[in-house]
Amino acid sequence: MSVPGARNGKPLRFHWSLSQAGSRLRSSVRREDMPGLPDFGAQLDLCRRAEQSGIESLLMAIGFTRPDPLLLSLALGAETETIKFMVACRPGLLSPVAFVQQVNSASAVLPGRICLNMVMGHTPKELGYYGCFLPHDERFEQADEFLTVCRALWRGDGPVDFQGRHYRVAAARVGTPFVSPAEASPEIFVGGNSSQAADLAARHASCLWRFAEPPESLGPRIASVLAGGTEVGLIVSLLARPTREEALRGTEALLAAAGGEAREVHQRLRGATDSVAYASTYGLADGGGSSAWLTPCLWTGAVPSLGPPAIALVGSTEEIVETLLQYKAIGVSQFLFLGWLDLDEVTFFGREVLPRVRAEEGPCL
């Protein structure tokens, strides 16, 4: 195959979400009914398999239905060797100084294996559990102040003084350094489809995460972000099989397993979220039927039952490889995958998809 632009730039980077390890359809039930303790054995299995399959890092999600992502990362990191942990963080849960102290301490335990995913939350009700009652746009303003203090501490600017609307620190310092063989601070990702997310990523992050959409509509949306020097990555589920027919059978089995009750769960969530990314992806899935296919490989059919992260790349090995390279050609440089089941999907990706991507990329700059 030949995709214009596929050989340009650096090799694509690939990450995986640990969010549903051991539970194929976790997101099909009400959040209030989700177990708060993980299947640690299943998570460890996925960590090790991802490590073997060429995955760079694992997203450690945050929320009231999950353990603390940083503590869980340390536990899993002690049982693995090279995989990194992309720890999801919400500004407002801690002071930025205490947060830097925690992250730096974790980096001493897992040198070079801690990075951060800044998320502002998508459900006001759940944010209220933690004492956050800020509307959508103000959460991004808070995050800007939070990361301004954090970055000053990681730069070692000396005692840090800052006074803003949401935070005030006086002569702040942290004695524990960030530990990494290559970096003086953790790599930062920012998630969101809104203009506020793009602006925050441009100021503080190396990469902006967005939910997937067709390349022809995505390209213009990310042009200004890329022009400013910030990378763009896609959050997308993956259903890759040796043939397209097998992949399509996989979508049918998935929808049958999710059932009608899952749709009711996400109808309620759709009405409760203030996330631009969630709202826009639910909107992409509104057509249903044949229009669930936004491109020959980008499928929204599971979104009404499993939520926006279930927008998926579906197809044969060759189709998935070509699609990944098409996204690379418009400037997308990273992917964060989810799978059903994750263990099987990451294994197939590492064995069949990733080697072909690397072969097609050829020598990169």
Side-chain angles (χ1 to χ4, degrees), residues 148-149 152-153 157-164 167-173:
T148 296
V149 176
L153 291 167
D157 287 349
V160 175
D161 292 297
F162 180 86
Q163 183 164 351
Y167 297 101
R168 177 184 177 186
V169 300
R173 61 178 75 225

Side-chain angles (χ1 to χ4, degrees), residues 91 94-101 104 118 141-174 185 188 200 203-204:
L94 291 173
S95 81
V97 180
F99 177 73
V100 168
Q101 188 174 30
N104 290 2
M118 306 305 300
E141 294 173 4
Q142 180 189 47
D144 182 33
E145 293 185 9
F146 183 88
L147 287 171
T148 296
V149 176
C150 291
R151 284 210 164 277
L153 291 167
W154 279 318
R155 284 195 305 268
D157 287 349
V160 175
D161 292 297
F162 180 86
Q163 183 164 351
R165 181 180 177 186
H166 301 282
Y167 297 101
R168 177 184 177 186
V169 300
R173 61 178 75 225
V174 171
S185 61
I188 296 176
L200 184 70
R203 289 192 293 273
H204 297 291

Side-chain angles (χ1 to χ4, degrees), residues 213-231:
E213 62 181 275
E216 59 269 21
S217 62
L218 180 64
R221 297 186 199 281
I222 65 175
S224 62
V225 177
L226 297 173
T230 302
E231 295 185 45

Side-chain angles (χ1 to χ4, degrees), residues 271-300:
T273 184
D274 65 353
S275 163
V276 172
Y278 268 59
S280 61
T281 307
Y282 278 127
L284 287 175
D286 277 342
S290 61
S291 61
W293 293 94
L294 303 181
T295 74
C297 285
L298 186 59
W299 179 63
T300 65

